[in-house]
Amino acid sequence: MSFDPETGEFDFPGWDTDQVLQDLGEFIPEKNILHLPSQLKPYECDGLTTHRKMSRLVVLPETIRQCQEIMRYCRQHEIPVIARGAGTGITGGVLPDDLSIVVSLTKFNRIEKIDPLQRIAVVQPGVRNLAISEAAKPFGLQYAPDPSSQIACSIGGNVAENSGGVHCLKYGLTVNNVTGIKIIDSEGELIEIGGGNCMESPGFDLLALMHGSEGLLGIIVEITLKLIPVPPATQVVLAVFHSMVDGGKSVSDIISSGIIPAGLEMMDKVTIDAVESYMQAGYPKADALLLCELDGNQVDIRLQMEIVQQILKDNNAFDIRTSQNDEERELYWTARKSAFPAVASIQPDFYLLDGTVPRKALPEVLKKIAVLSKQYGLQVANVFHAGDGNLHPIIMYNIEIDGDYEKAVQLGSEILQHCISKGGSFTGEHGVGAEKIDQMCIQFSALELLQFHRIKAQLDVSGILNPGKAVPVLHRCAELGAMHVHNGEMPHADLPRF
Amino acid sequence: MPNDISEQICQQVKQAQQSAQPLSIHGSHSHDFMLPEFAESQQLNMNEHQGIIDYQPTELTVTALSGTKLEEIQQTLAKEHQRPSTDFPAFSADATLGGAVSIGHTGSARPYYGAIRDHILGASLVNTSGEIMHFGGQVMKNVAGYDVSRLLAGTRGTLGPILEITLKVQPIPEQQSTLCMDLDENAAIEIMNRLAGQSLPISASVFFDNTLYIRLEGTEAGIQQAQKTINGQPMADGVDFWNSIQQQKHDFFTSSQPLWRVIVPATTPGLKLENQQSSLIDWCGGLRWVQASEVSTADIENIREKGGYIESFRGSKPMQQADLMSPLQKQMHAKIKSAFDPDQLFNPALSNFA
């Protein structure tokens, strides 16, 4: 058997490039099949550029029927399939290998329908996240989830990863804003999942199961989204503190007061300084910076703003600024969204994490990160969705220094283990992919992983959908279990790092 | 004090597996009327397994054992000026959290605050070997592994006994107010959808007997502003009205006529089923409650063409969820069922997807 449903182990027979090229040519136009090294190069990685591998074939179907035919062909010949959106993911979720065919969905780029009265949009998976809100804007509507890559990331990828963004504290994740999808399963069948233009569908919540399944359970070919009214007014307050603890306390106090901000973001000193030297946003010198966005009607915002400002003062904020117009608000946010490139400008190599913890654990986890950072001798910048308890520590290292990358990965692993021990998760919105697969062994027991494998095995009998990603084989966890006992010394270095 | 009988439940599942005797998993029985009979040889009663085990007001989360009464959860949250993040229908004072999640039906706030499943952050489940599995957690964002905790919404106990559920909670709005407008059915459907497309603090809209009822929730100033925009008549006993809808104590629901639950696109014009006596529209048009002595094949087909479905709710022969699915959807459910319960141990009579 090429795929063991109980353990997730797989061993595919391999294929002959020329033969497959010829066979696919029967139902895919030649121009949509890429096989030359120069054509394949852009597909060797996603946003996680430290992990690169060349595939042998990339196919760009244009119709659902073509997708179905590809799946049927691959199922018949036991060829693994990696569905790819815009490639902006940062966990190597679409990292290819020479055994798989990459199915790029970028040609599925049409917004098929916007129904303003029913407040839904029907879109193809390759449509960019931001393009949906732009198309809905004339109707006074928007699509709420806004990952920081929204200008480029595709909505199909958002569903596959269950992406978040700065506004999910109030408006939810992708899973809360999608009402239905159409998928092609591993047998090439087209299945409708969820209510689509209805608010409910009978049976299990398969729509939730598909969200964040990282291409392991089916290929998404159509998505129905919920649109919400654009709030009539939005205002951001920026506050700075002499300590992260004061900033963190403000976050808890705002939530306790009964206000749910549209966004609640924090940055530490390293990030504030990096952002300031990168784009001169006018951020004050401080040890912690908090951005709190309120939206809704003018009257409510005014009242809530008074409460928030009082909380910030009570928590020793020494400079509080409120955006007076959209331009100023944009500037505050642009600076926040530039945190990653800003840090990259001081240190080009960094390793980005995505842990979540209960809000109350934030101060303690931040202290722990500071201790570990000193211990490893690597600087860590902290930017986070404080309202959600979603941390994005950025570990800076230098690839030119021997062993520095490995040190960064080890430090990251320790930070994420700490998040898990505090009742959190090692990934809040980026996903597992190829990169964080080892952490799955820490967060889940063998029993739970086995259950994941059983789900996969039922929906993908031959195991051809994105194998080796998101859910680790049990054997791998067993080996890693041994690793943790032996103080971080990695045994069995020959084990494939998917 | 919580009464955690997880061990006992696991033991019972183990014995059931060893003796190959399927289990009937029950909560408070408050939804039995809508379920096909499922009196298996052994009963697994989840009612005793009750109590709130963690409530963190500043985290906006509550974790409770599945047999915890919804009423207890509401009362506990209310002490901190919080409540569950959407409307949980409760047809009896004994209705449980596990039951509400297993049935998966959401009350009138559905279009505005989301479904019950939207607010599930984590759950634990017993497998067929009587072992406990944990999925999700207590944090707002968690994308590690498949989202099994939300998958459980609507499973009617067929994937296993749910032991514990973590829910997102929300602050209770400062004020609630209800506006009424006299309208015909199609005008009401259009107006509720138009209003939902504007930034207004609406949390429910129901149409019955030529009246559209709109529930507003928010700050005093926000509600005053919305009242001016909407221009309806304020209703004095709004709270009672909405309770009567959530608990189905409203006159419409207490009639002896068979009651049908129709899911359609929200903007679908008024339905006229062949034997329709009366109807009540909820969910901004997305849910139509219909009283009718029986439903014809033409009715079923007509609703299916609109993209929706109709299910018996009360007073007629209960339907299987599988009857409402396409062959491929049924097959997918059968596969998921096999992944969790290959031996057909958990409520097999409710999951005949094959």
Side-chain angles (χ1 to χ4, degrees):
Chain A
M1 182 186 251
S2 63
F3 171 61
D4 181 344
E6 284 292 298
T7 62
E9 309 262 356
F10 54 87
D11 178 22
F12 296 104
W15 40 281
D16 176 66
T17 312
D18 291 338
Q19 182 63 50
V20 174
L21 203 55
Q22 189 186 331
D23 293 347
L24 290 179
E26 303 275 321
F27 48 86
I28 305 284
E30 202 182 318
K31 65 174 172 53
N32 292 359
I33 307 175
L34 314 180
H35 61 96
L36 302 171
S38 60
Q39 294 175 312
L40 299 171
K41 186 78 178 152
Y43 298 89
E44 65 174 354
C45 64
D46 59 13
L48 182 74
T49 52
T50 48
H51 292 47
R52 291 171 196 262
K53 272 182 194 170
M54 288 291 270
S55 63
R56 278 190 279 156
L57 280 181
V58 174
V59 191
L60 295 100
E62 296 191 45
T63 65
I64 287 178
R65 179 170 286 267
Q66 286 174 0
C67 280
Q68 288 180 286
E69 279 170 339
I70 295 168
M71 273 318 300
R72 285 185 190 132
Y73 179 82
C74 289
R75 165 84 172 88
Q76 191 190 343
H77 295 89
E78 294 183 82
I79 303 173
V81 171
I82 300 172
R84 180 185 161 113
T88 56
I90 42 180
T91 60
V94 293
L95 181 70
D97 54 56
D98 63 0
L99 270 181
S100 308
I101 288 180
V102 174
V103 175
S104 167
L105 292 146
T106 45
K107 294 205 179 285
F108 281 76
N109 57 2
R110 278 197 316 274
I111 294 177
E112 288 170 353
K113 184 172 99 174
I114 287 186
D115 182 336
L117 187 58
Q118 213 189 325
R119 305 163 318 282
I120 55 166
V122 181
V123 301
Q124 291 189 324
V127 171
R128 290 177 307 113
N129 172 297
L130 189 61
I132 301 162
S133 284
E134 282 168 355
K137 204 177 172 187
F139 307 106
L141 300 169
Q142 64 177 0
Y143 173 66
D146 57 343
S148 53
S149 56
Q150 71 178 145
I151 192 160
C153 64
S154 72
I155 189 70
N158 290 175
V159 176
E161 301 292 326
N162 191 15
S163 307
V166 294
H167 289 112
C168 47
L169 174 61
K170 185 169 180 179
Y171 298 110
L173 299 154
T174 305
V175 69
N176 307 114
N177 290 279
V178 169
T179 60
I181 56 175
K182 285 184 187 166
I183 65 155
I184 290 167
D185 74 0
S186 66
E187 309 287 322
E189 298 283 4
L190 178 68
I191 309 178
E192 285 183 42
I193 293 174
N197 56 2
C198 292
M199 284 181 229
E200 194 185 271
S201 59
F204 311 158
D205 204 319
L206 299 175
L207 189 57
L209 179 69
M210 294 306 297
H211 274 81
S213 62
E214 304 196 17
L216 271 73
L217 304 180
I219 298 186
I220 301 156
V221 290
E222 191 186 279
I223 302 151
T224 306
L225 308 163
K226 201 163 90 178
L227 301 174
I228 60 165
V230 178
T234 309
Q235 205 169 20
V236 181
V237 58
L238 178 156
V240 285
F241 305 86
H242 290 302
S243 89
M244 288 290 274
V245 175
D246 284 343
K249 175 84 178 1
S250 306
V251 169
S252 285
D253 289 352
I254 290 169
I255 301 289
S256 305
S257 75
I259 295 170
I260 308 286
L264 198 49
E265 301 281 308
M266 251 177 99
M267 287 187 211
D268 69 354
K269 186 174 188 321
V270 180
T271 320
I272 302 166
D273 292 348
V275 166
E276 202 39 38
S277 68
Y278 180 72
M279 62 169 290
Q280 295 84 43
Y283 279 5
K285 285 252 172 236
D287 291 293
L289 182 146
L290 184 77
L291 286 176
C292 173
E293 179 166 292
L294 299 171
D295 68 8
N297 66 56
Q298 206 67 260
V299 201
D300 281 352
I301 292 182
R302 208 166 38 237
L303 291 172
Q304 291 180 349
M305 199 49 95
E306 280 170 23
I307 299 169
V308 168
Q309 284 172 337
Q310 192 54 51
I311 290 171
L312 297 170
K313 276 182 208 149
D314 293 347
N315 282 296
N316 313 313
F318 66 87
D319 191 349
I320 301 173
R321 303 175 187 179
T322 309
S323 67
Q324 297 305 318
N325 50 48
D326 283 352
E327 260 166 41
E328 217 166 75
R329 182 171 62 87
E330 287 294 329
L331 180 67
Y332 291 168
W333 277 118
T334 310
R336 158 64 186 88
K337 289 187 176 179
S338 307
F340 300 149
V343 170
S345 71
I346 27 173
Q347 175 53 269
D349 306 313
F350 66 80
Y351 180 49
L352 174 64
L353 304 180
D354 174 39
T356 57
V357 290
R359 268 183 296 265
K360 65 176 176 199
L362 277 174
E364 198 271 315
V365 172
L366 289 169
K367 264 187 216 155
K368 179 78 179 179
I369 294 175
V371 171
L372 288 170
S373 160
K374 268 205 191 116
Q375 204 178 308
Y376 277 82
L378 293 176
Q379 202 173 20
V380 180
N382 281 296
V383 192
F384 48 99
H385 308 305
D388 302 313
N390 189 187
L391 295 145
H392 288 313
I394 308 168
I395 302 171
M396 292 179 249
Y397 66 95
N398 187 342
I399 196 87
E400 304 296 327
I401 300 175
D402 224 17
D404 224 28
Y405 170 70
E406 287 74 15
K407 231 163 64 174
V409 171
Q410 188 61 33
L411 167 57
S413 172
E414 277 209 48
I415 292 172
L416 294 176
Q417 281 183 49
H418 193 67
C419 291
I420 297 170
S421 75
K422 290 286 148 194
S425 170
F426 67 90
T427 177
E429 57 183 0
H430 293 171
V432 180
E435 186 217 9
K436 296 198 164 67
I437 198 153
D438 291 347
Q439 270 92 30
M440 285 290 286
C441 307
I442 303 165
Q443 190 159 324
F444 294 101
S445 70
L447 207 61
E448 291 143 5
L449 293 172
L450 186 66
Q451 187 59 62
F452 290 150
H453 285 304
R454 285 180 177 157
I455 294 172
K456 161 91 169 158
Q458 282 290 332
L459 300 182
D460 176 18
V461 182
S462 52
I464 57 168
L465 288 164
N466 210 6
K469 312 276 172 51
V471 185
V473 297
L474 297 178
H475 165 71
R476 183 181 175 85
C477 286
E479 301 290 359
L480 286 167
M483 179 182 88
H484 294 307
V485 176
H486 296 299
N487 278 331
E489 288 169 33
M490 189 160 185
H492 307 287
D494 54 325
L495 266 176
R497 295 190 71 85
F498 298 114
Chain B
M1 275 297 285
N3 182 37
D4 187 337
I5 55 161
S6 299
E7 228 169 276
Q8 199 180 312
I9 293 166
C10 291
Q11 201 54 38
Q12 209 182 330
V13 171
K14 244 179 247 173
Q15 281 165 5
Q17 193 201 32
Q18 280 158 7
S19 59
Q21 301 277 339
L23 291 167
S24 277
I25 306 169
H26 276 287
S28 71
H29 295 274
S30 66
H31 279 74
D32 279 5
F33 62 85
M34 60 164 276
L35 300 171
E37 271 190 46
F38 63 116
E40 303 301 339
S41 48
Q42 294 185 57
Q43 302 284 313
L44 175 51
N45 191 339
M46 303 298 290
N47 269 338
E48 305 280 298
H49 184 59
Q50 57 86 25
I52 292 171
I53 48 179
D54 193 18
Y55 172 39
Q56 302 281 344
T58 57
E59 299 295 321
L60 299 177
T61 61
V62 63
T63 304
L65 301 175
S66 54
T68 311
K69 291 184 178 67
L70 288 171
E71 208 172 78
E72 183 190 337
I73 295 173
Q74 268 150 359
Q75 284 165 0
T76 305
L77 299 184
K79 285 181 199 150
E80 301 290 334
H81 305 288
Q82 291 183 344
R83 63 179 187 183
S85 291
T86 192
D87 286 338
F88 281 62
F91 302 150
S92 91
D94 293 333
T96 66
L97 172 63
V101 169
S102 300
I103 295 296
H105 289 175
T106 307
S108 302
R110 169 73 185 88
Y112 308 94
Y113 295 156
I116 288 175
R117 62 81 101 161
D118 286 305
H119 305 289
I120 298 174
L121 297 175
S124 61
L125 184 73
V126 181
N127 70 9
T128 49
S129 306
E131 299 157 316
I132 303 172
M133 304 180 287
H134 300 272
F135 300 102
Q138 294 183 310
V139 284
M140 296 292 151
K141 288 161 93 177
N142 181 358
V143 293
Y146 301 133
D147 192 347
V148 174
S149 49
R150 284 194 181 93
L151 168 73
L152 296 173
T155 51
R156 301 183 172 182
T158 58
L159 300 188
I162 302 171
L163 290 182
E164 179 181 309
I165 295 158
T166 300
L167 288 180
K168 213 167 144 178
V169 303
Q170 64 172 206
I172 293 177
E174 208 177 291
Q175 237 183 44
Q176 191 190 100
S177 146
T178 301
L179 296 179
C180 299
M181 297 160 96
D182 291 335
L183 290 164
D184 71 40
E185 192 176 27
N186 286 339
I189 292 167
E190 187 174 333
I191 285 183
M192 32 174 123
N193 278 287
R194 283 209 185 287
L195 292 174
Q198 296 173 38
S199 194
L200 292 165
I202 301 178
S203 69
S205 53
V206 156
F207 174 81
F208 174 65
D209 201 12
N210 291 319
T211 306
L212 172 60
Y213 300 85
I214 294 169
R215 183 175 71 188
L216 299 169
E217 291 184 323
T219 59
E220 193 182 342
I223 286 183
Q224 275 175 9
Q225 200 180 40
Q227 280 170 334
K228 279 180 210 151
T229 311
I230 297 171
N231 197 22
Q233 291 299 315
M235 185 185 192
D237 47 358
V239 175
D240 294 342
F241 173 78
W242 294 107
N243 283 337
S244 77
I245 300 290
Q246 292 333 301
Q247 298 164 3
Q248 297 204 338
K249 288 180 177 155
H250 186 276
D251 287 349
F252 171 81
F253 291 104
T254 54
S255 146
S256 59
Q257 280 288 326
L259 184 65
W260 305 83
R261 189 169 181 271
V262 186
I263 302 291
V264 281
T267 48
T268 306
L271 295 173
K272 291 284 170 280
L273 271 54
E274 277 178 29
N275 300 298
Q276 180 168 322
Q277 303 282 322
S278 175
S279 75
L280 183 144
I281 301 178
D282 201 344
W283 285 11
C284 193
L287 168 62
R288 316 284 168 96
W289 293 102
V290 177
Q291 286 172 7
S293 52
E294 55 183 356
V295 168
S296 70
T297 319
D299 287 334
I300 295 172
E301 205 35 56
N302 177 28
I303 290 161
R304 193 173 291 158
E305 269 170 25
K306 295 182 192 328
Y309 60 93
I310 175 164
E311 60 181 333
S312 60
F313 190 74
R314 205 195 317 256
S316 52
K317 188 170 175 275
M319 284 161 83
Q320 290 282 353
Q321 287 180 305
D323 297 339
L324 309 168
M325 298 173 190
S326 73
L328 284 172
Q329 287 166 337
K330 228 194 283 194
Q331 207 179 69
M332 197 163 170
H333 277 78
K335 287 175 178 176
I336 298 294
K337 170 74 174 170
S338 290
F340 284 86
D341 180 20
D343 306 325
Q344 296 285 321
L345 213 57
F346 305 128
N347 289 356
L350 300 184
S351 53
N352 53 348
F353 302 113

